[in-house]
Amino acid sequence: MTPDLDATLVRIAAEAMPFYRIPGLAIAVVRDGEVVLRRGFGVRDVATGEPVTPATRFAACSLTKAFTAAALGLWVDSGHVRWDTRVRDVLPEFGLADPVAAERCTLRDLLLHLSGLGRHDFVWTAGDRDPAAVLAALPHLPPVREFRDGCAYSNLGYLVAGLVVERLAGRPWVDEVADRLLGPSGMTSAGFAFDRPGDDAWPHVVVDEAPVRARREPIAAAPAGGLVASVDDLARWAVALLEAERAGDTAVVPAAVVQAMTRPHVYAEPPLHPEFGDALHNGLGLWRNGYRGARQWLHTGSWVGWSTILAMLPDHRTGVVVLSNRNASPVPAMLAYAVHDAVLGLEPIDWFGRIAPLREQALAAARDEAAARDAEDAAGAPTARHLHDYAGAYRHAGYGTMQVAVDGDGLAWSFARWSERLRPAGADAFRLPGYADRPFPDHRILSFAADDAGRIDRVEVAFEPDLPAAVFVRVDRS
């Protein structure tokens, strides 16, 4: 790497971080098996002003998925299972709403997001269920797509893959990953909890155009997103993947496993930009596409207060990791692609200039959506029922039980670890609040319905736009 690249990254960070209200980020670059650049920008916490360094730990988010795939790959490499081993051959209790899919689903299907299950993230987001309880809920969740009829991104699929690892290893997924991947890769500060106050960043979200602290909580579906690591750690992981073939028998992840992880198994989506080739394809825990004619392995990650990317050009033995403490933004990718441009010797693309105008469009759309939501609620016919008619417990076999109670002149709602007041949103309808600083089913409407006798007996909640509303059936009254 040249001083010119370092200056380019400094310039991009100086321009893009304040524009996107990013408190801090870190970047590391590897080339030919060595770390050639590592740098921190900004602060790890707006409350303390402590600087980000290459040793600062962030939530890696979905960069974790490659570790789960690799952990399974070690068992494939040893001959204990195959990528096409059925999930039920290891986890007999595994089920899906589609019994044929449940019977046929393989480890490969889980990792390629081909189970049809889709997200259903609010089954696990609150963190009130252990993985076994989440597994028991799966048969009660409607699929987003038919089995193997294209990709339907699923964190739950990786949670199940983590349970497969546990069953094979006879110990927790975190221990298996730590002992067989993190330690051998030299990821000495990586772990699965924010338990290093002197090194850990704090997540931030943007409220009224200013970065504010979000809640810092572990991602409950740990095999899908629970890793906590620094760019120093993840640079070593990039080296382990890029150099696997050259390392031979000493490779942390065997070359055959890396090849399986990075093969373009199945079409995922069209390219976001023409520079990314014909399409994005799913590998096992990684994505595969192109960047300006070069092969690229990558994955991104985001959660409340975090945004990450790991992008590698295998034919150039180069990898870039960028971790930031502000929820989803394009800045980590802008920095990664600036490195790619330099490595490829091509005229740099002004990614900031191309993408930045979209931010104001997104902000305007959010303002319009909020105004429309308020207008819709105000225009809705008020309920003619007494509030006590709605009070009670409502159960969904997959999502669990929610409680609705009269609270003064309104209704209170509790579900999993959440408890909130509801806002009237028309006849027999009430709306949840929205929060920027935590995972929450923001602004969802609870639509109550009655039986033939006119008694409220169910409530419907559309948790996700690509799924039918979940119907919670009344199980008692209060």
Side-chain angles (χ1 to χ4, degrees):
M1 297 294 108
T2 67
D4 288 346
L5 175 60
D6 189 63
T8 296
L9 298 177
V10 170
R11 176 184 56 77
I12 295 171
E15 188 174 24
M17 288 177 65
F19 182 82
Y20 284 96
R21 287 26 174 201
I22 297 174
L25 60 81
I27 183 171
V29 181
V30 301
R31 186 83 188 272
D32 298 334
E34 301 290 338
V35 178
V36 294
L37 185 149
R38 51 193 292 275
R39 177 185 275 277
F41 297 92
V43 300
R44 66 181 192 232
D45 183 352
V46 295
T48 66
E50 295 170 311
V52 169
T53 74
T56 299
R57 303 196 318 155
F58 299 74
C61 305
S62 285
L63 305 191
T64 309
K65 289 181 170 67
F67 291 84
T68 297
L72 267 180
L74 295 179
W75 289 95
V76 172
D77 189 68
S78 65
H80 288 79
V81 290
R82 305 181 314 279
W83 292 117
D84 290 320
T85 293
R86 297 182 317 142
V87 177
R88 279 187 169 172
D89 290 340
V90 184
L91 288 177
E93 65 270 38
F94 171 72
L96 294 168
D98 177 354
V100 174
E103 182 68 21
R104 296 181 179 179
C105 187
T106 67
L107 307 183
R108 189 192 307 269
D109 291 322
L110 291 178
L111 299 179
L112 292 177
H113 306 283
L114 291 176
S115 71
L117 181 61
R119 284 190 174 272
H120 291 287
D121 284 339
F122 289 111
V123 170
W124 60 266
T125 298
D128 64 319
R129 291 174 160 184
D130 63 27
V134 175
L135 183 67
L138 300 188
H140 307 288
L141 303 176
V144 176
R145 308 185 70 136
E146 295 294 324
F147 178 56
R148 294 180 183 161
D149 183 27
C151 299
Y153 195 88
S154 179
N155 289 309
L156 286 169
Y158 274 77
L159 185 147
V160 175
L163 290 174
V164 172
V165 171
E166 291 189 347
R167 191 66 56 87
L168 291 169
R171 58 176 177 170
W173 171 87
V174 294
D175 294 339
E176 179 77 353
V177 171
D179 290 348
R180 300 191 71 185
L181 296 174
L182 304 188
S185 296
M187 300 175 63
T188 55
S189 74
F192 303 96
F194 289 102
D195 54 6
R196 297 191 176 203
D199 294 325
D200 292 341
W202 203 276
H204 298 81
V205 295
V206 178
V207 177
D208 295 330
E209 284 298 271
V212 298
R213 271 177 152 213
R215 294 188 180 185
R216 191 172 68 185
E217 299 176 349
I219 295 175
L227 181 68
V228 177
S230 68
V231 294
D232 281 346
D233 291 318
L234 287 163
R236 297 182 182 104
W237 174 241
V239 169
L241 297 177
L242 288 164
E243 303 300 316
E245 188 170 352
R246 295 169 187 83
D249 292 341
T250 65
V252 175
V253 184
V257 175
V258 175
Q259 289 166 8
M261 291 171 63
T262 58
R263 186 176 301 132
H265 291 262
V266 61
Y267 173 89
E269 63 185 35
L272 291 175
H273 301 277
E275 291 83 2
F276 296 167
D278 295 332
L280 181 73
H281 289 83
N282 278 350
L284 308 177
L286 289 166
W287 300 327
R288 167 78 177 269
N289 68 358
Y291 183 80
R292 305 186 75 178
R295 286 193 306 153
Q296 181 174 223
W297 307 340
L298 79 157
H299 212 292
T300 61
S302 65
W303 192 244
V304 178
W306 308 105
S307 185
T308 66
I309 188 171
L310 173 61
M312 295 168 280
L313 300 178
D315 298 326
H316 298 267
R317 299 177 65 189
T318 300
V320 191
V321 58
V322 186
L323 308 176
S324 72
N325 60 354
R326 188 266 207 204
N327 58 302
S329 88
V331 177
M334 291 178 190
L335 292 166
Y337 298 144
V339 174
H340 285 1
D341 289 341
V343 169
L344 296 173
L346 299 174
E347 184 70 22
I349 293 174
D350 180 10
W351 286 108
F352 179 77
R354 182 188 295 188
I355 296 174
L358 301 178
R359 182 171 188 264
E360 184 51 46
Q361 296 176 26
L363 291 173
R367 290 191 294 267
D368 291 346
E369 181 181 350
R373 187 167 56 240
D374 292 342
E376 177 185 354
D377 292 353
T383 180
R385 297 180 183 274
H386 193 283
L387 291 177
H388 284 285
D389 292 343
Y390 303 105
Y394 300 81
R395 178 163 181 78
H396 184 282
Y399 282 90
T401 301
M402 64 172 60
Q403 300 279 346
V404 178
V406 176
D407 182 17
D409 61 352
L411 291 177
W413 167 87
S414 60
F415 174 58
R417 292 192 301 153
W418 298 312
S419 296
E420 299 294 341
R421 290 264 300 182
L422 297 173
R423 185 175 89 180
D428 293 334
F430 296 83
R431 191 184 295 276
L432 290 167
Y435 294 102
D437 67 341
R438 70 200 75 171
F440 187 77
D442 297 320
H443 306 299
R444 304 307 200 275
I445 286 182
L446 278 66
S447 298
F448 292 85
D451 60 17
D452 292 341
R455 297 172 299 185
I456 296 294
D457 70 342
R458 61 194 183 278
V459 59
E460 298 183 0
V461 187
F463 282 117
E464 299 179 39
D466 56 352
L467 287 171
V471 179
F472 290 71
V473 177
R474 191 165 193 164
V475 293
D476 67 7
R477 294 179 181 274
S478 61

